[in-house]
Amino acid sequence: MADRFIEVSLDKRGVSCTAKLLDDRAPITCEAVWNALPLGGDVYHAKYARNEIYALIPPFAPEEPPLENPTITPIPGDLCYFTFSHTQLGTASYGYEAAAEQQGGKAAHAERATVIDLALFYERNNLLINGDAGWVPGIVWGAVVDGLDEMAEACQDLWRAGALGETLNFRRA
């Protein structure tokens, strides 16, 4: 199979990077993401993992991928896929209530069985441990091959200036 690439962007900030799909390490996840592109939504900066931005989106795969190519220590440029139930992210400590209301109210949010977290890690020293749940392994399905420095700078700005109104998007390159 020929290498496949995607663009990962913060659209309001006008910044993007290019990532290669890791078809050899996470073929099921890569195929699911590729077939569903474009994907994206409101961006969040991680509270626990450290140097991570992510978007929460509705499930899109015919079947959720197995935990292939897992990590709890993502490195700069890793793209990770996480599956969470609505109860895992349903506590007020996560701060998703406003987003849930914008997407159809709390009842609509509570009815969703799962939510998908597509994440970009932009710097070193990440550890996927959560105070509520413990270890949270993710599937590494892509690696940034171009533009990570500019994206990391924009992610730091997002951390300091805020994420309101910004989106994280994944498109075929």
Side-chain angles (χ1 to χ4, degrees), residues 103-119:
Q103 296 174 9
K106 289 184 181 183
H109 181 68
E111 289 172 9
R112 275 196 293 188
T114 59
V115 64
I116 305 307
D117 171 334
L118 292 182

Side-chain angles (χ1 to χ4, degrees), residues 31-53:
E31 191 65 18
V33 171
W34 185 259
N35 289 337
L37 292 174
L39 294 165
D42 292 342
V43 68
Y44 296 91
H45 197 289
K47 287 184 177 182
Y48 298 105
R50 194 163 182 179
N51 300 300
E52 171 195 3
I53 61 169

Side-chain angles (χ1 to χ4, degrees), residues 6 8 27-28 41 102 106 118-119 135 144 147 157 164:
I6 63 168
V8 181
I28 298 168
Q102 292 170 2
K106 289 184 181 183
L118 292 182
W135 298 108
V144 174
D157 180 64
L164 196 59

Side-chain angles (χ1 to χ4, degrees), residues 2-172:
D3 289 340
R4 298 188 286 182
F5 296 89
I6 63 168
E7 176 189 77
V8 181
S9 63
L10 292 169
D11 288 354
K12 182 178 173 185
R13 284 172 171 76
V15 177
S16 66
C17 58
T18 302
K20 178 185 173 195
L21 296 189
L22 300 178
D23 285 302
D24 58 331
R25 298 180 186 170
I28 298 168
T29 306
C30 289
E31 191 65 18
V33 171
W34 185 259
N35 289 337
L37 292 174
L39 294 165
D42 292 342
V43 68
Y44 296 91
H45 197 289
K47 287 184 177 182
Y48 298 105
R50 194 163 182 179
N51 300 300
E52 171 195 3
I53 61 169
Y54 59 97
L56 299 175
I57 58 177
F60 53 83
E63 238 178 77
E64 281 308 303
L67 189 59
E68 54 184 357
N69 199 31
T71 190
I72 56 166
T73 56
I75 62 172
D78 276 353
L79 299 181
C80 289
Y81 180 111
F82 303 90
T83 303
F84 295 106
S85 72
H86 72 280
T87 57
Q88 286 175 296
L89 299 180
T91 65
S93 65
Y94 292 105
Y96 300 130
E97 289 80 13
E101 289 173 13
Q102 292 170 2
Q103 296 174 9
K106 289 184 181 183
H109 181 68
E111 289 172 9
R112 275 196 293 188
T114 59
V115 64
I116 305 307
D117 171 334
L118 292 182
L120 164 68
F121 290 84
Y122 63 88
E123 186 51 78
R124 298 172 40 142
N125 300 321
N126 302 295
L127 185 60
L128 299 180
I129 190 165
N130 177 291
D132 297 331
W135 298 108
V136 183
I139 300 168
V140 182
W141 60 274
V144 174
V145 294
D146 186 47
L148 184 58
D149 290 343
E150 295 84 6
M151 182 61 83
E153 188 175 310
C155 292
Q156 283 293 332
D157 180 64
L158 188 124
W159 173 249
R160 304 263 308 149
L164 196 59
E166 182 63 89
T167 58
L168 176 62
N169 295 288
F170 301 83
R171 300 175 186 93
R172 291 183 184 188

